[in-house]
Every structure is written in structure tokens, then in C-alpha cells.
């Protein structure tokens, strides 16, 4: 679980920024920071590439189809991310550009570019390494930093959901400046913004 003292600190900063922001964080309460769900960085990047520019529901649907296609061939999803399986992936709903990105991630892993040494790098340096891989941009690198490396201080400025919720709760357009007030825990702020988005009632 999130440390109670850190939670109180976040509430205090939020109160200085805007009351709606403090109220939203307080309504969610102390959150759990789950351990990385994927065994390797490549596995995380595969999922994030599929997630790019899609709703959570659409991305999950595509990934489920990939898993089913892999199971039908008695292989794992990553075994499809090599030349020769393009038609299968396209049939699952993966765009041609994303197919090429999945290939590039596998190639980067096999070349030793996604090793454990990346964990010791500052996020900016790690992001620069990842963004040299075809199809991996700043948003994907941010998601890997937050959810795989558990870096506590990343504000995903390219994430529409986190940015939109913070703007709504503060009335401030420049979310980078707002998030800077939460350093060195900007990733935690982002997690609260995603939780707040998920908790919001759906408009009729």
C-alpha cells in the first residue's frame, strides 16, 4: 500500500492546488502500488504498443484475440511477434505499424537492449533508449517507467486521460507545471488521476 505519510503529503499539496483535486484524491483513499505484472520489459512494451491510441476495452479485445491465436498454434503471444505471422496479427486487429513495432521490440530484446541495467537509469535516459525502438514513443516509455520500473516521479504528459482529469480538477491547462508541485511523486499523482477517471460516473 501507499505509505500513509506520503498520502497525507499528496493531500496537502492537492489542497494547495485546488479543492476538487484534494477531494478526488481523498475519495479514492490510500491506493495499492501493485508489483509489475509482466516478467520482462519486452512483455510490458508488447502490451503498451497494442494499447497505443486505443480505449482500454478495445486494446483488451485485441490482446485477447492475440492470446487466442497463439493458443491455437500452441505458442505464446511473443512467438507471433516475428516475421511470418503478420496476417495472423492483422486478423486480430493489430495495425501494420504496430506489427512492425512488435517485431522491433523482440529484436531489441534479442539484441540485449532491454536488460536489467535499464532499471538503474534515470527515466529520461531510459526513455531515450526505449524511444530508439521503432513504435516506442514517449508515452510508451512513460507507461513502462510507471508500471514496470515503478518509477515514482513520472508525469505522463502525453496521456490523454491523466492530463484531462488533472485539467478538469484544477482548471489549469498546464498540467506539467501542476504535476511539478507533486515531485518526486508525479507517478503517484498520475495513478490517482487514472483512478479518478475510472471512478467517475458515465454520462447518459
Amino acid at each position: 500500500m501507499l505509505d500513509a505519510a506520503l498520502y497525507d503529503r499528496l493531500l496537502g499539496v492537492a489542497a494547495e492546488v485546488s479543492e476538487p483535486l484534494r477531494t478526488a484524491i481523498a475519495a479514492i483513499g490510500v491506493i495499492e502500488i501493485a508489483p509489475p505484472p509482466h516478467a520482462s520489459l519486452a512483455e510490458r512494451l508488447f502490451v503498451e504498443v497494442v494499447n497505443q491510441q486505443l480505449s482500454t476495452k478495445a486494446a483488451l479485445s485485441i490482446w485477447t484475440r492475440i492470446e487466442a491465436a497463439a493458443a491455437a498454434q500452441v505458442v505464446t503471444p511473443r512467438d507471433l511477434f516475428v516475421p511470418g505471422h503478420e496476417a495472423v496479427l492483422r486478423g486480430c486487429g493489430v495495425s501494420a505499424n504496430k506489427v512492425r513495432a512488435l517485431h522491433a521490440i523482440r529484436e531489441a530484446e534479442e539484441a540485449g537492449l532491454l536488460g536489467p541495467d535499464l532499471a538503474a537509469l534515470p527515466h529520461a535516459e531510459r526513455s531515450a533508449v526505449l524511444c530508439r525502438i521503432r513504435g516506442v514513443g514517449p508515452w510508451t516509455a512513460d507507461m513502462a517507467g510507471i508500471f514496470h520500473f515503478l518509477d515514482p516521479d513520472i508525469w505522463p504528459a502525453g496521456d490523454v486521460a491523466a492530463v484531462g482529469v488533472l485539467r478538469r480538477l484544477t482548471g489549469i491547462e498546464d498540467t506539467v507545471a501542476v504535476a511539478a508541485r507533486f515531485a518526486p511523486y508525479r507517478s503517484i499523482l498520475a495513478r490517482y488521476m487514472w483512478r479518478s477517471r475510472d471512478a467517475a460516473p458515465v454520462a447518459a
Side-chain angles (χ1 to χ4, degrees):
M1 298 295 288
L2 189 67
D3 180 81
L6 174 52
Y7 173 69
D8 289 340
R9 174 176 174 176
L10 293 173
L11 280 178
V13 175
E16 294 172 0
V17 175
S18 84
E19 183 56 30
L21 179 60
R22 189 208 68 80
T23 299
I25 292 176
I28 295 166
V30 178
I31 62 173
E32 180 179 359
I33 306 298
H38 299 93
S40 70
L41 174 57
E43 298 291 343
R44 181 81 219 186
L45 294 176
F46 292 146
V47 172
E48 295 302 353
V49 162
V50 171
N51 287 350
Q52 287 171 357
Q53 300 176 334
L54 292 174
S55 68
T56 302
K57 182 177 180 180
L60 178 59
S61 178
I62 290 174
W63 191 261
T64 298
R65 290 197 291 271
I66 292 173
E67 290 180 324
Q73 297 189 32
V74 198
V75 297
T76 65
R78 66 162 43 239
D79 294 319
L80 300 179
F81 305 154
V82 292
H85 297 285
E86 291 86 350
V88 173
L89 294 174
R90 297 287 283 122
C92 293
V94 183
S95 71
N97 281 337
K98 289 184 179 182
V99 169
R100 287 190 285 270
L102 293 171
H103 289 178
I105 293 167
R106 271 216 54 166
E107 291 167 3
E109 182 184 42
E110 291 168 359
L113 301 179
L114 303 180
D117 53 310
L118 287 179
L121 295 180
H123 176 62
E125 293 181 28
R126 185 171 60 234
S127 181
V129 172
L130 296 180
C131 288
R132 288 198 287 270
I133 302 170
R134 180 187 182 118
V136 176
W139 179 84
T140 303
D142 286 348
M143 295 304 104
I146 293 171
F147 294 107
H148 185 76
F149 293 104
L150 302 185
D151 189 319
D153 195 34
I154 298 170
W155 176 246
D159 188 85
V160 173
V163 168
V165 173
L166 189 57
R167 283 175 176 164
R168 174 174 59 81
L169 293 173
T170 63
I172 299 172
E173 187 71 15
D174 186 357
T175 61
V176 172
V178 174
R181 300 184 62 171
F182 290 83
Y185 301 109
R186 286 173 284 188
S187 298
I188 312 302
L189 172 65
R191 287 175 181 269
Y192 272 100
M193 296 303 92
W194 288 317
R195 294 287 186 94
S196 182
R197 183 272 316 271
D198 293 341
V202 178

